Structure formats: structure tokens, C-alpha cells
Amino acid sequence: MNLKQLSELLGLSQTTVSRALNGYPEVNEATRERVLQAVKETGYRPNKAAQRLATGKAGSIGLVMPTAPGHQSDVHFGEFLAGLGEEAVRHDFHFVIMPADPDDEVAALRRLAISGNVDALFVAYMRAHDPRLAMLKSLSMPYVVHGRSFGSEPDYPYLDIDNEGAFYDATRLLLQLGHTRFALMNGPMHLDFAIRRKNGVAAALAERGLALDENCVSHALMTDEQGLLAMEQFLQLPERPTAILCSSTVLALGAIRAANQAGLRLGEDISLIAHDDVLPLLKPENFSVPLTTTRSSLRAAGVRIAQRLIGTVKQAGPFPDQELWKTELIVRASTGPAPQV
Amino acid sequence: MNLKQLSELLGLSQTTVSRALNGYPEVNEATRERVLQAVKETGYRPNKAAQRLATGKAGSIGLVMPTAPGHQSDVHFGEFLAGLGEEAVRHDFHFVIMPADPDDEVAALRRLAISGNVDALFVAYMRAHDPRLAMLKSLSMPYVVHGRSFGSEPDYPYLDIDNEGAFYDATRLLLQLGHTRFALMNGPMHLDFAIRRKNGVAAALAERGLALDENCVSHALMTDEQGLLAMEQFLQLPERPTAILCSSTVLALGAIRAANQAGLRLGEDISLIAHDDVLPLLKPENFSVPLTTTRSSLRAAGVRIAQRLIGTVKQAGPFPDQELWKTELIVRASTGPAPQV
DNA sequence: TACATAATTGAAAGCGCTTTGGGTGCCACT
DNA sequence: AGTGGCACCCAAAGCGCTTTCAATTATGTA
């Protein structure tokens, strides 16, 4: 069933039927009713490809999903997608997800953009000096970046959390508790958030005349195994750290396992603060020793970015171009006074 | 840059350029080279919407993502998606993901199908007597179901794991270890896999003249919190179970926390077998007491389903219509002999 | 040399929709 | 009666591609 058939069925022109469906004012209410009725009975749905071809709009936002045979799926991705979806469903938008090898992301993004399949783009996993920014700017298609790109002029639309502030605050808390030996369990070094978090820690330490020992910094994929490994290394250091900052609750999972295996009590022998993306699977309050965290909901960020993206496509009013969300510092049992030596 | 511009640039007709690009044999190799060269230089990419309109094919597979403000994102979804993506990227396929309220899934699937945006459909989270099956059959669009629908004639294309067999085997193992009091921590009751797993347990117990006490069966969302709750209830039973079967490692996470809090030693006071979807985040071998599991990779299932879907669209068939994968029973430390009373 | 045949290329129709640029009545006002 | 304005409706062009059908040139064959 297509427009032509439907209009013939109704004895109307395609024009009128199309107008009736799209809410144009110049169609008689009675005929509009008739059309709507016929749509219900026939189950007619406009062909999206044709619609897009004719209007240039498709009601879809595009994103690239990094993937490869060895590539681990990322819980954070799913959670963020849930947020995007929650908002998209309200506007009858859908996603076009282009899987792409992580090495091929710029090209994949470009292909996606000029494929004509999407109205707007979303990009995440930002790196320092991210090459995708230049490409996006050249594209004349709305986009929003999740995160920022260290070293690039911040003149692009983004939503980010205050990573530096979060880790600055967390570090200060630990300093106040008397800790002096710190370790940072971070995400991959090239990622923007990792850089900023490290800077936040360093800044807070510097205020007390302390510095972050490079041996006490790990950069790795945010999996529990990497957390375990990193923690094991930290614990073997001659002056082992008593305060651990952790870029994800996933890493914390492994880190805590390592600490337990070493017979250390969390919140007493060793203190830990993790960043919490509010993953439904890993609630810090459910850890056997509830975790002190810096918190910011990834899902909420997804919702907000979808709002901005869809709003821009629909030309529904101006949105702030740059948003920086503060995180909350939530104190639970995994932090305590530095142990007396 | 579109076909017209490109062909003018080359002094060729759109026909020839199109044919050159799509690998038709009747075009001179020299001109094909010339076209390919121009494509490289200009960065031309065909408009997918137009392509789809003209051919009816779009190189995309569609799926519905259940979502709603309160709806928890599901790690399993992300992992499965990673599998689909791994295969899709090899064929330059993409996904169209339609977020939809869980109550609206049939309609959403229908909308997606007739939107003309996708070449094939994938559906998961199958229920007993699933209403989507009838709809899919009426659609004349390729689809593959992940899982099956209990109570429906199995005449649709699916890939499923042998849930009944898995839990039958697991139960038998525990029986052999001398356990007699069993509990099953299952997924939501209406889901197909939950029904079959329960049947598997019941079948194995029946062989020994045992039955599954309804008080020892929980049906809940597969989150760690629900696992905790369910376990707490089991432990309060007058005759508390010594053998726990768990539909997911996520549930097991909570269950184990509850057991620990009750001072029970896993693999000694209480034995547990969980089904392992091979989530990168939750490796059963990394649990403080490594978990005995029935294993089947969700991601591998994603890859395979993508293969079948894409293969069917590309008519690179034929593919088996029904596939039932056996699971592996992997014994680790969370199972031990039943404690002497 | 003449003619069938193969190898290339093009013109134009069509995919299903939106939208521009007219119509056609009908009414109120001069 | 003539004019302008309104409320409705329609024919047809166009979005960017594929594909049918036809035309042109090159290559053999008798």
C-alpha cells in the first residue's frame, strides 16, 4: 500500500492525502478525517526512504559503533544508547548504527554522514586532538559530541561532565582524610576524559605539594580484569598507595578483588573512589563495601544529547552549544582515614 | 556530489557510472577504472535512501530496542549487538534500531518493517506464544528470531540455545554431587528461555523422583539486585536449598553477595551453577569463587544471526532455518558435594 | 565487402514521497 | 455584474538512484 493506491482508494490526489497526513492547514477537516480513517483501515505507512529522498529528513540519528572480532563490547555504550533511545522514542526517531573497525572511525563517520541515511550525528569516545572534529565541522549536518577533545578549540557542540573537577574533588577528599600516597586507575591514555581526570588529580595533589608518581598511574581498557591487574601492580610497589582513584566502577570491581586477595580491608587499609556512570549492573551501593563515588548518569547524558540532536533537526529552538555537567561526590564506606604507618 | 554531477564530470551517462560502480560486466575496464578514480578523488558516495528507493534494498537490518524511562538497559543487549556488528561491518551493513516501549513492540516492529528502511528483521526476548511471530510471517521480509516461542509451532527461522538441555545437565551434575534441595533463579516467567530452563531442571529432578518446590523458584529481571533478593528469600526457607541454578551471571552476582552476607561458603555450604552468556564484564572465572557455568556466547549468536540475515538478503543462501546450539557445562569451584546435614 | 554479433554506452522511466504553482468554486464587497 | 479573497484541491516536477530498452561502435564471419 503506497500513497498512490491510498489516494486512488479515497478518490483524492496524492497531494491532498500527503497534506492531510502531514498536518497541513489547507485541507478540509472532513477530508482529513476520511484520510486518517483510511490509514487506520489499510495500515498504510509512508515509505521512509521516499520521504527522506523528498524531504531530506529521515527522523534518524546516526552513530558509529566501534567493533571488531577481538573488540570487547562496552557496557557504557549500551547504557548510553538506552538514554538516547528513551528520548528518541518520544519523537519517533530511530538510530542508524554503523558498525566500524576502531581504526576506521573517521571514514565510517563520513560514510554515514553522506549516505543520506541520517539527519544528525552523535560521536563519543573522544580523543585528544580528535580528527573527527574537523570532519564533522565540514559536514553541515547537526551533531553533538559526548565528551570533549583535549587540545582542540572547544568551538563544537558538546556535552561533557566535569571530569577534572570530579577527580579534583575526589582527591581533595582523600587528602583531607590524610592520604598521601595516591594511585590512579585510568582509562586509555588517548581518551579525553582520562587526560582530564588525571589533571584533576594532579591539580589537587599539587596544592599540597604532592605529585602523582607515574608508577601509580595505569591506563587501560575499563574492564574488571584490567582493574585487577593494575591493582596487583600497585600493591607490589615498595611504597604502596593507600588511596586509589578509579575511572570506572568496572575497573573498581577488579581492583577490589585484588585488594581482597591481598587481605586488605577496603575503607581501612586502603581507600578507593570510583567514577560511577550509574550502570544498572554495577551499583556502588551494592558492593560488599559500598563505594564512594563521583557520580554522573551516562543515561541522562544520552537523553539530553538526543534532546539536543532531535531538537536541532526539528528546529525546535536554540540549544546551548556547550554543556558541562558537574558530578556529585557521594561518600560511602570505601573511603576512610589514611592508615597510620 | 551526486551521480548526475559525477557523470557530468566524467562525460559519461549516469547509467554507465552506476554500472561501473555496481560491478556490472558490460562496462569497459578502462572506463570503470576512470570512474573508480573519480570516486576516490571526489569522495562520492551514493545516497542510500535513493538506492533503497530504486532497488528495494538498503543494506540494513532492523531491530527493536525495548526502552522506557524506567526500563533498565540490558547488558545482554549490548553484547548481542556487538556480535551482530562484528559480522555486519564485513558486509557494509548497518542497523536501524527503533526504540520502542516494551508494550508497543509488535506495532514498533511492524512500523519498522513497512517503513522501507530495512531489508531484514531480527527479534529477541521471545515470549511464550509470542504475537510477533504471526506478524513476521505475514511480512514477506527475511527475519531470524533469537530464541524460540514456547507454545508456537517451530516453523519460523530461529537460532536458539538448548536451554532445557543446559539446565538439565546442570541439575544432573548437582544431583550427582548429592544435592536434593534445589532452587532456580530464573528470568521473567513469560520469556521462553525461562520456561525451558525450568523444564530442564524439572526433568532432571523428576528422574530422581524429585520435584521443584515453587517456593524455590524465582522469576525476576536479571539484575544483581533481584539476584540478591531472591537468594535472601531462599535462605529464609525452613529447608533451605543447597543447590542454586541461576539464569544469568548477573543474577549470580547478587545471589553470591546474599550468600556471603549469610556467612555461607560457595562451593561448600551452597553450590551454584549459573548460565554464562560470556559477557566480557562478568567472567565466571574471575568471581572470588570461580563459577561453574553452562556457557554459550551471546556474541557468537549475534555473529551467526547476522550471517544468516545478511546472507539471505544477499541471496547467498541457503541457510538452515532452525539452529539449536548446545551449551557447555564448565565445572569450576562454585559446585561441591552437598553438605552433610 | 556485407552482415551478423558482441561490446559499450545512453535516454528515459520509475521507485514513493513532498511541494510548487496553479486551478476551481464560493462568498463578501463594490 | 465585476472583483478580490478564501478554502480546497490537483497536476506535475523533482529528490538520486537503478534498470529496461535502444542505439552506437567494434569485431568477426562468410
Side-chain angles (χ1 to χ4, degrees):
Chain A
M1 172 64 65
N2 57 21
L3 226 211
K4 190 173 174 194
Q5 292 166 357
L6 183 66
S7 60
E8 278 167 3
L9 189 103
L10 283 161
L12 289 169
S13 74
Q14 299 188 35
T15 313
T16 304
V17 177
S18 170
R19 283 202 178 111
L21 290 176
N22 294 313
Y24 281 66
E26 63 263 58
V27 32
N28 192 316
E29 267 316 307
T31 52
R32 190 194 302 278
E33 279 308 316
R34 219 153 62 80
V35 170
L36 259 29
Q37 185 59 34
V39 165
K40 234 176 223 154
E41 283 164 11
T42 58
Y44 165 80
R45 289 279 152 184
N47 180 307
K48 286 274 180 192
Q51 237 168 5
R52 154 148 274 274
L53 195 55
T55 60
K57 302 264 154 264
S60 68
I61 84 177
L63 47 138
V64 170
M65 175 174 85
T67 187
H71 189 269
Q72 286 212 352
S73 79
D74 183 356
V75 256
H76 303 88
F77 181 82
E79 180 64 7
F80 186 84
L81 199 59
L84 285 177
E86 182 184 324
E87 179 69 15
V89 74
R90 296 196 191 108
H91 301 274
D92 199 22
F93 263 58
H94 59 265
F95 305 121
V96 174
I97 295 197
M98 167 143 307
D101 195 280
D103 300 330
D104 188 38
E105 277 202 75
V106 192
L109 195 59
R110 200 182 131 69
R111 276 199 309 261
L112 184 57
I114 59 183
S115 75
N117 259 332
V118 300
D119 300 326
L121 289 172
F122 158 76
V123 309
Y125 301 106
M126 293 304 289
R127 303 156 182 247
H129 305 282
D130 201 299
R132 286 172 296 178
L133 284 177
M135 215 224 56
L136 285 165
K137 282 178 195 164
S138 74
L139 229 44
S140 79
M141 171 175 288
Y143 65 93
V144 171
V145 166
H146 186 213
R148 277 175 291 173
S149 174
F150 203 87
S152 307
E153 192 64 29
D155 57 353
Y156 46 90
Y158 66 76
L159 183 151
D160 197 5
I161 59 172
D162 183 5
N163 284 299
E164 178 159 352
F167 275 60
Y168 174 85
D169 291 346
T171 306
R172 269 189 54 122
L173 174 65
L174 290 164
L175 283 167
Q176 286 163 2
L177 288 167
H179 292 271
T180 53
R181 296 200 302 276
F182 285 78
L184 170 62
M185 206 169 281
N186 214 344
M189 190 163 3
H190 56 269
L191 293 182
D192 175 87
F193 75 82
I195 298 171
R196 294 185 198 266
R197 290 178 184 176
K198 187 173 172 185
N199 289 351
V201 176
L205 290 180
E207 287 181 359
R208 297 281 187 105
L210 295 171
L212 194 53
D213 180 357
E214 278 304 320
N215 290 321
C216 286
V217 179
S218 80
H219 288 283
L221 279 180
M222 305 216 277
T223 68
D224 61 336
E225 282 173 315
Q226 293 294 337
L228 181 102
L229 252 53
M231 190 62 150
E232 283 176 348
Q233 292 201 343
F234 291 158
L235 294 182
Q236 277 166 13
L237 255 30
E239 291 240 302
R240 81 169 154 68
T242 64
I244 314 285
L245 290 147
C246 213
S247 257
S248 162
T249 46
V250 180
L251 282 168
L253 204 63
I256 291 169
R257 210 166 60 238
N260 286 340
Q261 283 170 9
L264 297 173
R265 289 159 307 165
L266 197 59
E268 299 182 29
D269 304 317
I270 198 160
S271 285
L272 185 147
I273 302 184
H275 180 70
D276 175 22
D277 291 302
V278 196
L279 306 176
L281 186 52
L282 281 177
K283 307 209 171 175
E285 61 269 32
N286 285 348
F287 277 59
S288 52
V289 175
L291 250 49
T292 296
T293 59
T294 55
R295 180 171 72 183
S296 182
S297 162
L298 203 53
R299 179 163 180 153
V303 171
R304 176 60 182 161
I305 288 185
Q307 264 175 18
R308 282 174 58 178
L309 245 19
I310 295 172
T312 306
V313 170
K314 289 192 169 179
Q315 314 208 347
F319 290 91
D321 238 26
Q322 281 96 23
E323 284 178 274
L324 195 63
W325 287 4
K326 290 283 173 207
T327 64
E328 300 168 293
L329 178 58
I330 302 189
V331 180
R332 300 196 185 82
S334 70
T335 42
Q340 305 304 318
V341 192
Chain B
M1 171 64 65
N2 56 23
L3 226 210
K4 191 173 175 194
Q5 293 166 356
L6 182 67
S7 59
E8 278 167 3
L9 189 103
L10 283 161
L12 288 169
S13 73
Q14 299 188 36
T15 313
T16 304
V17 177
S18 170
R19 284 207 271 245
L21 291 175
N22 296 311
Y24 281 65
E26 64 263 54
V27 32
N28 192 318
E29 268 316 308
T31 53
R32 190 194 303 277
E33 278 309 317
R34 220 154 59 80
V35 170
L36 259 29
Q37 186 57 36
V39 165
K40 234 177 221 153
E41 282 164 13
T42 58
Y44 165 80
R45 289 278 153 184
N47 179 306
K48 286 273 179 191
Q51 238 169 3
R52 153 147 275 271
L53 195 55
T55 60
K57 303 263 155 264
S60 69
I61 84 178
L63 48 137
V64 170
M65 174 174 84
T67 188
H71 189 268
Q72 286 212 352
S73 79
D74 183 358
V75 256
H76 305 87
F77 181 82
E79 180 64 7
F80 186 84
L81 199 59
L84 285 177
E86 181 183 324
E87 179 69 14
V89 73
R90 296 195 190 110
H91 302 274
D92 198 24
F93 263 58
H94 59 264
F95 306 121
V96 175
I97 294 197
M98 167 141 309
D101 195 281
D103 301 329
D104 189 39
E105 277 202 79
V106 191
L109 196 59
R110 200 181 134 69
R111 277 198 309 260
L112 184 57
I114 58 185
S115 76
N117 259 332
V118 300
D119 299 328
L121 289 172
F122 158 77
V123 309
Y125 301 106
M126 292 305 288
R127 302 155 181 247
H129 304 284
D130 201 299
R132 287 172 295 179
L133 283 177
M135 215 226 57
L136 285 165
K137 282 179 196 163
S138 73
L139 229 45
S140 78
M141 171 176 288
Y143 65 94
V144 171
V145 166
H146 186 213
R148 278 175 291 172
S149 174
F150 203 87
S152 307
E153 193 63 29
D155 57 353
Y156 46 91
Y158 67 76
L159 182 152
D160 198 4
I161 59 172
D162 183 4
N163 284 299
E164 179 160 349
F167 276 60
Y168 173 87
D169 291 346
T171 306
R172 269 189 54 121
L173 173 66
L174 290 164
L175 283 166
Q176 286 163 3
L177 288 168
H179 292 271
T180 53
R181 295 200 303 277
F182 286 77
L184 170 62
M185 206 170 283
N186 212 346
M189 189 163 6
H190 56 271
L191 293 183
D192 176 86
F193 75 82
I195 298 171
R196 294 185 199 266
R197 290 179 185 177
K198 187 173 171 185
N199 288 349
V201 176
L205 290 180
E207 288 181 358
R208 296 283 186 105
L210 294 171
L212 193 54
D213 180 358
E214 277 304 320
N215 289 321
C216 286
V217 179
S218 80
H219 288 284
L221 279 180
M222 304 216 279
T223 68
D224 60 337
E225 284 175 315
Q226 292 294 336
L228 182 102
L229 254 52
M231 190 62 150
E232 283 176 348
Q233 292 200 343
F234 292 158
L235 294 182
Q236 278 165 14
L237 256 30
E239 292 239 303
R240 79 170 155 69
T242 62
I244 315 284
L245 292 147
C246 215
S247 257
S248 162
T249 46
V250 181
L251 282 168
L253 203 63
I256 291 168
R257 211 166 59 239
N260 286 340
Q261 283 170 8
L264 297 172
R265 290 159 305 167
L266 198 60
E268 300 182 29
D269 305 317
I270 198 160
S271 286
L272 185 147
I273 302 184
H275 180 70
D276 175 22
D277 292 301
V278 196
L279 307 176
L281 184 52
L282 281 177
K283 306 209 174 175
E285 62 269 32
N286 285 348
F287 278 59
S288 52
V289 176
L291 249 48
T292 296
T293 59
T294 55
R295 180 171 71 183
S296 182
S297 162
L298 204 52
R299 178 162 180 154
V303 171
R304 176 59 183 162
I305 288 184
Q307 265 176 18
R308 282 175 57 177
L309 244 19
I310 295 172
T312 306
V313 170
K314 290 191 167 177
Q315 315 210 348
F319 291 89
D321 239 26
Q322 280 96 25
E323 285 179 272
L324 195 63
W325 286 4
K326 289 283 173 206
T327 63
E328 300 168 293
L329 179 57
I330 302 189
V331 179
R332 299 197 186 82
S334 70
T335 42
Q340 305 304 317
V341 194

